[in-house]
């Protein structure tokens, strides 16, 4: 079955049946990909433990895995490679640079010899889990909106385990963005986000970029700020 991304509705559409992929189904793909990539992270830890990979080799593989995982999520969220703009590549590039920095420190800790194979596997799994943020950020960009935080970006106590998602709906005067809880693992911060951003309003509804000015209070507080 072939799918195309329909820019006007920000949804994937089957070219065979004409049916749209619901945002819940697309989010399901996000989560399935994160889970599949986590298994690869576990595989890398056992290859390091068995001596099949040197620490340097492990770090290279861990970087490649992180890159592949985040890029695929960004493409899924944005609507495919053809939809990617320079800003989109730059966004995922910035996220990856930060992740590579964390990986460097992680590799140093492994060199210190204090981490078990299970700990290494679990911790690299956080990098693949964190890829949900790349899906969510790309999706917000696809909808032309700026949101205060993204599931998996580390701003919640559950850190990268966060399986929450932004429910985006197009209305007559803008996009309504609601933080929805994931199926499991709600930390206090997620519950707070869900209560606070139901829907999110930076003083008003999130406007489609270019159609109207964002509310002044929102601009003054900085687009990246909470609340
Ligand atoms: Zn969450």
């Amino acid at each position: 079955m072939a799918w195309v991304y329909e820019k006007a509705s920000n949804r994937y559409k089957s070219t065979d049946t004409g049916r749209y992929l619901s945002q819940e189904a697309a989010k399901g793909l996000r989560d399935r990909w994160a889970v599949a990539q986590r298994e690869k992270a576990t595989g890398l830890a056992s290859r390091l433990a068995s001596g099949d990979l040197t620490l340097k080799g492990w770090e290279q593989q861990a970087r490649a895995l992180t890159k592949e995982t985040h890029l695929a999520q960004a493409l899924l969220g944005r609507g495919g490679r053809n939809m990617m703009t320079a800003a989109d590549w730059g966004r995922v590039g910035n996220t990856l640079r930060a992740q590579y920095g964390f990986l460097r420190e992680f590799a140093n800790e492994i060199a210190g010899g204090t981490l078990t194979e299970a700990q290494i596997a679990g911790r690299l799994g956080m990098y693949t889990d964190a890829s949900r943020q790349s899906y969510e950020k790309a999706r917000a960009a696809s909808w032309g909106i700026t949101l205060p935080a993204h599931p998996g970006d580390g701003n919640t106590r559950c850190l990268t385990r966060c399986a929450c998602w932004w429910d985006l709906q197009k209305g007559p005067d803008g996009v309504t963005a609601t933080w929805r809880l994931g199926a499991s693992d709600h930390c206090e911060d997620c519950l707070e986000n869900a209560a606070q951003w139901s829907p999110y309003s930076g003083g008003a509804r999130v406007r489609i970029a270019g159609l109207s000015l964002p509310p002044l209070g929102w601009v003054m507080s900085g687009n990246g700020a909470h609340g």
Side-chain angles (χ1 to χ4, degrees):
M1 194 183 278
W3 296 88
V4 291
Y5 189 76
E6 193 181 82
K7 207 176 166 186
S9 65
N10 298 117
R11 286 186 296 179
Y12 287 95
K13 187 179 183 179
S14 164
T15 54
D16 298 339
T17 64
R19 284 218 184 133
Y20 289 102
L21 188 70
S22 71
Q23 60 174 341
E24 288 86 352
K27 189 257 300 178
L29 292 175
R30 177 199 76 170
D31 291 339
R32 269 162 58 187
W33 174 248
V35 168
Q37 296 296 91
R38 181 176 249 282
E39 283 177 25
K40 292 189 192 172
T42 306
L44 287 184
S46 61
R47 286 181 62 196
L48 177 66
S50 72
D52 182 35
L53 280 176
T54 61
L55 180 54
K56 197 173 161 102
W58 174 89
E59 190 182 348
Q60 282 169 352
Q61 295 284 322
R63 281 171 70 113
L65 176 65
T66 302
K67 182 177 181 181
E68 173 188 71
T69 309
H70 278 265
L71 272 184
Q73 293 280 27
L75 292 173
L76 178 65
R78 192 66 177 86
R81 193 168 283 273
N82 292 339
M83 292 292 294
M84 293 288 283
T85 64
D88 297 318
W89 292 113
R91 185 183 317 105
V92 70
N94 283 339
T95 303
L96 283 173
R97 258 189 299 283
Q99 301 290 313
Y100 295 160
F102 299 141
L103 267 178
R104 189 82 276 283
E105 292 166 28
F106 182 9
N108 285 339
E109 280 186 56
I110 296 174
T114 54
L115 299 175
T116 65
E117 180 186 336
Q119 285 171 329
I120 294 168
R123 191 150 143 198
L124 186 57
M126 292 177 72
Y127 290 72
T128 48
D129 286 350
S131 68
R132 289 189 179 92
Q133 71 181 294
S134 286
Y135 170 85
E136 296 289 337
K137 287 175 183 172
R139 192 155 167 266
S142 181
W143 284 66
I145 60 173
T146 304
L147 294 168
H150 291 281
D153 67 4
N155 280 320
T156 55
R157 251 166 279 189
C158 59
L159 298 170
T160 60
R161 285 196 312 280
C162 183
C164 297
W165 57 289
W166 278 110
D167 179 356
L168 305 180
Q169 305 285 343
K170 219 165 266 188
D173 55 63
V175 177
T176 305
T178 305
W179 181 283
R180 301 275 185 212
L181 293 171
S184 58
D185 271 344
H186 316 134
C187 71
E188 287 166 54
D189 296 325
C190 292
L191 292 170
E192 194 181 307
N193 287 353
Q196 179 189 3
W197 296 329
S198 175
Y200 166 68
S201 59
R205 288 171 119 188
V206 185
R207 302 288 171 162
I208 297 172
L211 291 188
S212 56
L213 290 170
L216 194 60
W218 185 30
V219 174
M220 300 299 279
S221 68
N223 286 346
H226 274 268

